Amino acid sequence: MSKPRNNGNACDDGNTPNGNCVNQDRSEDSDYLVHDIAQHTNRRSGPHENLSRCVPGKRKLLVSTVEMLVGREGNYNGRGRFTSADGCHVLSRYLPVNGPWWVDHLKSRAYVSQFSADGSLFVAGFQRSHIRIYNVDKGWKVQKDILAKSLRWTITDAGLSPDQQFLVYSSLSPIVHIVNVGSAASESIANITEIHEGLDFSVDDYDDDDYEGIGIFSVKFSTDGKELVAASSDNSIYVYDLEAKRPSLRILAHKSDVNTVCFADETGHLLFSGSDDHLCKVWDRRCFGTRGKAAGVLVGHLEGITFIDSRGDGRYFISNGKDQTTKLWDIRKMSSNVPYTPRLRDPHFDYRWMDYPTHARAVKHPHDQSLATYKGHKVLRTLIRCYFSPAYSTGQKYIYTGSSDGSLHIYDLVSGDQVASCHHHEAPVRDCSWHPLYPTIVTSSWDGVIARWEFPGSDEEPARHAPRQRRPSY
């Protein structure tokens, strides 16, 4: 792991963890970013004004933990306790970059890794049909070892239901499987030890040839656990009604593979999608007067989009693109139509096996509607994922992403500075997950390693070798 760098420019006032950062490209629309989302973020992660120190002509200084504790004991904020923003101000400076400690290692590429909503469980999905659920509170013990059914190529996505009773997993197939992970059995072999119910995402207007060619790249539960939303290789978005056990909606959403889709907030009305056609789109299920008509389009990426994560407020989201950038979006800036632009992308570039052309790195979309652009990581070979940091512990003041160079990158949401990077893996880090409550991040890589990064970390030395008892036989 390389330590965060300090170039002595943007962070001289200590307003980033440990005072470490590097300059990154920022959105040209910086005033908008400073005056809008910066205020939202600061309200979530800034200390109470009575605890803030300000030197005339200088920016506010970072309030130390000791000062925060003294202020709490002195009841400076009038509440007799930390506010949630006070807590975020303390916790968010301690980035989970110590380690790594190995959680597991299989001789199979790791594609998916996610904490449950409460952080008690962790799900990891591997290419050769294995999905493992670890009990975080019991020393990362394997609670459920699942052997998936009828995979095509790999597990593309997997996730727990909000009540943590069911798990869905997808592959390059129109059938998404769901399994009861709340059962007592620790081993779940599809339709042998337990039933893995197949959910058919095909619809009546498909012919057999189309049906066979569908692959699901992303599948997510709604907040109430009653629906699934999926992104498909047939340029479509699907919504599946789990109670009716059938697709309730198909949207022919893009002109190329839809790699990612998610619910925008808890209501389930809005959806965000991203595609290889390099567009992000917003869909409002309440006003589908014209079938398949997007509520709005957001342009700015020059290549296909690999992943989208919503801030959860129905307004902001981030996206990873094959143009080697992460972008921040506000749906209030979306357009009803895609503005005409000349062909900007390199027609010969294939991210699966090529490096991104050097000359293309300086190209900017003439109609870029994003609020900010973050650079430093690599989005090559696979659909690299990116996320907002947890609201509880950081106030979502960071975004973090995997990288095809085997590392994890953390950026300050508002300044755009890269505040930390963790280097360990020998292959792309496709997925990563920040614990919702504690300073812990887990990375999953194509080298088969699931690695844990913490602050401050346990007393044990970081494990560089996988536990033997967890190695598979293949």
Side-chain angles (χ1 to χ4, degrees):
M1 181 190 76
S2 66
K3 292 183 180 296
R5 296 171 289 169
N6 185 2
N7 62 6
N9 293 326
C11 303
D12 292 339
D13 62 348
N15 274 336
T16 57
N18 303 320
N20 298 311
C21 71
V22 295
N23 284 338
Q24 297 292 326
D25 291 329
R26 297 170 183 162
S27 169
E28 294 179 358
D29 199 2
S30 58
D31 289 341
Y32 185 91
L33 187 64
V34 168
H35 289 106
D36 192 353
I37 194 169
Q39 293 183 5
H40 288 277
T41 305
N42 290 337
R43 281 200 299 268
R44 287 186 173 190
S45 59
H48 190 274
E49 60 183 7
N50 291 342
L51 296 176
S52 300
R53 296 184 290 117
C54 190
V55 179
K58 298 285 186 180
R59 294 167 57 186
K60 284 187 177 180
L61 301 177
L62 194 69
V63 182
S64 72
T65 303
V66 173
E67 288 175 311
M68 297 284 289
L69 292 172
V70 171
R72 185 184 66 180
E73 294 303 313
N75 194 24
Y76 291 170
N77 63 12
R79 297 188 179 187
R81 58 179 175 81
F82 280 164
T83 64
S84 60
D86 291 336
C88 287
H89 183 73
V90 173
L91 292 173
S92 64
R93 75 185 66 179
Y94 302 116
L95 294 177
V97 294
N98 293 348
W101 286 261
W102 281 23
V103 173
D104 210 343
H105 180 209
L106 272 66
K107 294 180 180 179
S108 177
R109 292 173 174 177
Y111 270 74
V112 180
S113 59
Q114 286 296 297
F115 281 105
S116 61
D118 64 0
S120 64
L121 300 176
F122 181 81
V123 176
F126 299 84
Q127 184 174 18
R128 295 186 184 177
S129 302
H130 266 277
I131 304 172
R132 285 183 171 174
I133 300 178
Y134 306 86
N135 191 315
V136 177
D137 297 335
K138 294 183 178 179
W140 294 85
K141 179 181 178 181
V142 176
Q143 179 167 304
K144 197 85 169 179
D145 196 351
I146 300 169
L147 187 62
K149 178 185 179 184
S150 304
L151 287 192
R152 290 183 180 175
W153 178 245
T154 184
I155 291 168
T156 54
D157 205 358
L160 290 168
S161 60
D163 61 7
Q164 301 179 182
Q165 292 298 302
F166 296 92
L167 177 137
V168 294
Y169 60 88
S170 61
S171 69
L172 299 181
S173 161
I175 306 298
V176 170
H177 289 91
I178 186 167
V179 56
N180 184 352
V181 295
S183 63
S186 59
E187 186 177 41
S188 179
I189 302 175
N191 292 8
I192 296 178
T193 61
E194 290 186 326
I195 298 299
H196 291 204
E197 183 180 1
L199 309 178
D200 189 349
F201 274 68
S202 63
V203 291
D204 293 339
D205 58 349
Y206 266 115
D207 57 39
D208 291 340
D209 291 337
D210 289 334
Y211 175 88
E212 291 298 324
I214 301 173
I216 302 295
F217 292 114
S218 173
V219 60
K220 307 294 179 189
F221 276 100
S222 60
T223 304
D224 60 12
K226 295 180 179 180
E227 293 181 314
L228 297 172
V229 62
S232 174
S233 63
D234 67 344
N235 309 347
S236 300
I237 297 169
Y238 292 87
V239 178
Y240 191 95
D241 187 326
L242 289 170
E243 293 181 344
K245 294 187 177 182
R246 62 177 179 81
S248 59
L249 179 65
R250 178 201 177 196
I251 307 170
L252 189 57
H254 290 268
K255 294 183 179 180
S256 189
D257 291 353
V258 183
N259 295 322
T260 177
V261 66
C262 66
F263 289 100
D265 55 22
E266 294 183 353
T267 67
H269 298 314
L270 292 179
L271 304 174
F272 299 148
S273 65
S275 166
D276 275 340
D277 64 11
H278 72 260
L279 299 176
C280 295
K281 291 188 178 182
V282 181
W283 307 89
D284 191 338
R285 299 167 62 191
R286 295 166 297 184
C287 51
F288 258 32
T290 303
R291 186 172 179 82
K293 179 69 173 177
V297 180
L298 289 156
V299 300
H301 279 295
L302 301 176
E303 298 284 347
I305 294 155
T306 64
F307 197 73
I308 282 176
D309 185 45
S310 173
R311 195 165 179 259
D313 55 10
R315 178 178 296 174
Y316 298 104
F317 68 92
I318 56 173
S319 60
N320 249 1
K322 298 174 186 178
D323 56 6
Q324 315 306 296
T325 68
T326 300
K327 286 184 175 290
L328 171 68
W329 308 90
D330 182 344
I331 68 170
R332 293 173 298 180
K333 300 190 74 174
M334 64 188 180
S335 305
S336 57
N337 297 299
V338 182
Y340 171 77
T341 58
R343 188 177 184 87
L344 297 172
R345 64 181 302 273
D346 188 330
H348 305 294
F349 169 63
D350 190 327
Y351 91 118
R352 293 172 295 180
W353 57 275
M354 295 175 63
D355 287 333
Y356 196 60
T358 303
H359 69 271
R361 297 179 185 275
V363 178
K364 295 183 179 180
H365 199 293
H367 304 292
D368 190 352
Q369 296 168 306
S370 65
L371 299 184
T373 299
Y374 311 84
K375 295 181 180 180
H377 58 292
K378 295 182 178 181
V379 184
L380 300 169
R381 301 185 65 189
T382 185
L383 302 178
I384 303 289
R385 298 182 166 193
C386 60
Y387 301 94
F388 288 95
S389 63
Y392 175 83
S393 59
T394 72
Q396 296 180 304
K397 69 180 296 182
Y398 304 114
I399 62 172
Y400 63 105
T401 176
S403 179
S404 61
D405 61 6
S407 59
L408 168 79
H409 295 255
I410 304 175
Y411 301 98
D412 184 284
L413 176 71
V414 176
S415 72
D417 296 323
Q418 181 177 297
V419 297
S421 59
C422 304
H423 304 271
H424 170 68
H425 295 281
E426 297 177 353
V429 174
R430 185 181 188 268
D431 206 357
C432 45
S433 188
W434 197 316
H435 194 285
L437 306 178
Y438 305 125
T440 299
I441 289 180
V442 177
T443 52
S444 59
S445 170
W446 274 15
D447 60 11
V449 173
I450 305 295
R452 188 177 86 246
W453 307 81
E454 297 185 348
F455 185 97
S458 59
D459 294 332
E460 62 184 295
E461 288 295 319
R464 302 287 179 172
H465 303 286
R468 287 185 179 179
Q469 65 271 24
R470 290 184 178 174
R471 289 187 183 275
S473 58
Y474 50 79

